[in-house]
Amino acid sequence: MTTDASHRFPALLHAQRVWDVELPGFDPEAAPAAPLPLFHAWFADAVAAGQTEPHTMSLATVDEEGLPDVRTVMLHGADGRGWHFATHATSAKGRQLAARPQAALGFYWPALGRQVRVRGPVAVCSPAESAADLHARSTGALASALVGRQSEVLGSVAELERASDAAWERAGAEPDAEVASWTRYVVEPREAEFFQGDARLRHVRLRYRAEGAAWIRELLWP
């Protein structure tokens, strides 16, 4: 069935502009020797530029059949160990990571025309670190974790509302409540790419590639 929205879609799609802002420059020769300091600097730039939710990222995993999967999650940290996020170990992504502990991350900050891509093996953090991660967050985050059953089939919206109401009540009464399935993960980078968009499409792409304890820096064609 064709709708009015379907008829309008092609024209609407092609009318959208990309990077309708003044873009910053990027000199890859001045970039640090390792990717983490550059990520920290670019993240601070994104915040200063007013980028909405700069801490959101795409997380790509592979399921048991080798099929790719992707979703948007929150960054929980970026340090010498790697890039951190958290979820239920029983969720779809948790099960996928248990079967194939590899992942790729993607950050997109259109306010600056910048992207960052990271990929590598995924390690599971300790139960104590996972619990601390959960309890450092908001009451709403705890309530959501207490609901659990992420990625399972839901019978109705009313069922979700009942479970959520009960979880919010418990989270308020028990701020230290434990959620055994809540797990913090860290992507240990083997590659990290920094992309700076250019109005004339001469995009600058700098890739860091791990070789032992060292980082190899390479420019890529756009």
Side-chain angles (χ1 to χ4, degrees):
M1 176 179 171
T2 302
T3 65
D4 184 51
S6 298
H7 282 299
R8 297 198 314 269
F9 176 74
L12 185 63
L13 173 63
H14 294 299
Q16 303 310 302
R17 296 182 61 84
V18 178
W19 304 327
D20 197 12
V21 295
E22 184 176 348
L23 300 177
F26 173 46
D27 178 8
E29 296 297 325
L36 185 62
L38 184 55
F39 178 82
H40 287 162
W42 275 27
F43 185 86
D45 289 345
V47 172
Q51 176 63 59
T52 302
E53 298 181 350
H55 57 320
T56 57
M57 61 186 185
S58 297
L59 167 66
T61 54
V62 177
D63 69 15
E64 294 85 348
E65 297 178 357
L67 299 175
D69 207 350
V70 67
R71 74 288 287 165
T72 301
V73 299
M74 294 288 183
L75 176 69
H76 285 212
D79 57 23
R81 296 162 60 192
W83 277 252
H84 298 244
F85 65 94
T87 188
H88 290 282
T90 52
S91 68
K93 52 187 172 294
R95 296 193 304 272
Q96 290 167 6
L97 288 169
R100 295 171 180 250
Q102 297 279 338
L105 307 175
F107 295 86
Y108 179 44
W109 299 316
L112 296 170
R114 285 176 172 174
Q115 300 179 54
V116 179
R117 300 166 58 209
V118 178
R119 66 175 180 171
V122 179
V124 177
C125 296
S126 69
E129 192 172 3
S130 296
D133 175 276
L134 178 60
H135 295 123
R137 305 178 72 208
S138 66
T139 300
L142 175 59
S144 178
L146 286 167
V147 171
R149 303 187 64 177
Q150 190 178 51
S151 305
E152 295 182 19
V153 175
L154 174 66
S156 67
V157 173
E159 183 181 355
L160 171 61
E161 290 175 346
R162 289 191 297 270
S164 178
D165 288 344
W168 271 90
E169 184 175 350
R170 184 182 174 194
E174 302 177 46
D176 295 326
E178 295 185 1
V179 181
S181 60
W182 188 257
T183 304
R184 182 164 173 139
Y185 298 87
V186 56
V187 179
E188 301 172 343
R190 294 296 179 266
E191 288 185 7
E193 181 190 326
F194 294 79
F195 171 104
Q196 173 61 68
D198 177 79
R200 299 190 65 183
L201 306 186
R202 296 180 297 201
H203 315 310
V204 179
R205 296 175 61 189
L206 175 63
R207 178 173 65 189
Y208 291 82
R209 184 167 46 84
E211 283 197 2
W215 287 100
I216 305 301
R217 298 192 309 174
E218 302 167 317
L219 288 174
L220 304 177
W221 283 88

